[in-house]
Amino acid sequence: MNNTITPENNADHKAASIAINLAYLAYSDKMDLRLQLKLNYTPTAGQWKLVWFAENKANLVYVVREKNSGQYAVAIRGSFGSITSPVTFFTNWIVEDFEVFKMVDWKYGEAPAGAKVAHGSNEGLESIISLTNKKLTLKQFFLQEIKENRLPESLPIAVVGHSLGGALSYMVSAYLYAKLKKHGETRTVWPVTFAGQTTGNKIWADWLVQQFQADIGRYHNQNDVVPHAWDNLEWVKNSFPDDGPKIESHIEKKIIGFVEEHLAGEYFQPGDGISLPGKIRTHLSWADEVLYQHTALHYLGLVTSLNR
């Protein structure tokens, strides 16, 4: 069985099924993650081994290696925490998710001039690249693996994530590519994302497609609000279909209206991506429907059902 995460192995969404499984597991703690990776009846089929794990109060990232092919995948946790864990909640939801009122230049090279990213997305990247496992940052870990000749040259480093994790997957992909190239390594990187919001302007989004094939690895539930942030707020205001719940006026005016008024520049998704056929649950409120359509567990079901 081919368990690699590559565009070539994704004709029947097999690679995406593995990727969403890894993205879903990013919401687990380290002990549960190790146990879940051993299960042979999941899309990862017990074939991926944890080789690097790090977290702080804001973000969690881990790296796994496929036992047969030797491919590496980076998984990034999405928004996490609640008001009972205020530091994580504030950093994820307020800064990394919603700090779109300022754009900054992409500073790690390779992207075309004029590429700009959301300040919050950039803060998320800075948090991730500061993480260490056994005193090794993510970049140092991969440089060590390359030095030890452990990375197969024919397979990309896959970077996966759901929601905020999906958005940050683009940031981490571009960062790793630039840093490894600076050390003479031209390893390919392929971001496979689920429910991710936009991270930057059109120059940035177009480059993600051209350099990383980000469009063919971008999955979004057709009824999920989040992938329309922040490039299509009109869609958000008019969600859901005729038979679905409607947005409450106070949410539209106080939240969506505020974002529209203060949004910095124009945001774009990297390509059309792949739409998933989610269904509306009409007995839920608009806010509850938004949450249901967006959850990692729902995406896990939608993606894995594509290749059955």
Side-chain angles (χ1 to χ4, degrees), residues 176-189:
L176 279 178
Y177 173 74
K179 290 300 181 182
L180 296 183
K181 187 174 181 180
K182 185 173 286 189
H183 285 80
E185 296 294 336
T186 55
R187 306 279 169 164
T188 57
V189 182

Side-chain angles (χ1 to χ4, degrees), residues 125-234:
L125 175 63
E126 295 292 333
S127 170
I128 288 171
I129 64 179
S130 72
L131 295 172
T132 60
N133 177 252
K134 296 181 179 179
K135 298 184 178 181
L136 293 176
T137 64
L138 189 63
K139 178 192 76 173
Q140 291 168 339
F141 168 78
F142 276 109
L143 288 175
Q144 175 180 278
E145 297 303 283
I146 291 170
K147 183 179 179 180
E148 298 294 332
N149 199 31
R150 294 194 183 104
L151 267 72
E153 293 186 12
S154 61
L155 294 171
I157 297 171
V159 185
V160 309
H162 163 265
S163 189
L164 173 63
L168 293 178
S169 292
Y170 298 129
M171 307 293 288
V172 170
S173 294
Y175 169 82
L176 279 178
Y177 173 74
K179 290 300 181 182
L180 296 183
K181 187 174 181 180
K182 185 173 286 189
H183 285 80
E185 296 294 336
T186 55
R187 306 279 169 164
T188 57
V189 182
W190 189 38
V192 187
T193 69
F194 308 89
Q197 63 270 47
T198 58
T199 54
N201 65 4
K202 190 173 189 305
I203 296 173
W204 167 256
D206 288 348
W207 179 67
L208 292 177
V209 173
Q210 180 271 322
Q211 183 61 58
F212 303 105
Q213 301 186 76
D215 53 334
I216 63 173
R218 183 174 83 84
Y219 284 77
H220 52 95
N221 174 3
Q222 65 183 6
N223 293 313
D224 189 357
V225 164
V226 174
H228 296 281
W230 306 96
D231 65 329
N232 194 348
L233 293 178
E234 282 302 314

Side-chain angles (χ1 to χ4, degrees), residues 4-6 9-10 12-22 43 160 190 192 194 216-217 219 274 299-300 303-304 306-307:
T4 58
I5 305 174
T6 66
N9 192 32
N10 205 37
D12 59 356
H13 309 287
K14 169 63 177 176
S17 294
I18 299 169
I20 184 58
N21 195 175
L22 294 174
V160 309
W190 189 38
V192 187
F194 308 89
I216 63 173
Y219 284 77
I274 299 168
Y299 269 81
L300 180 64
V303 175
T304 53
L306 292 178
N307 60 13

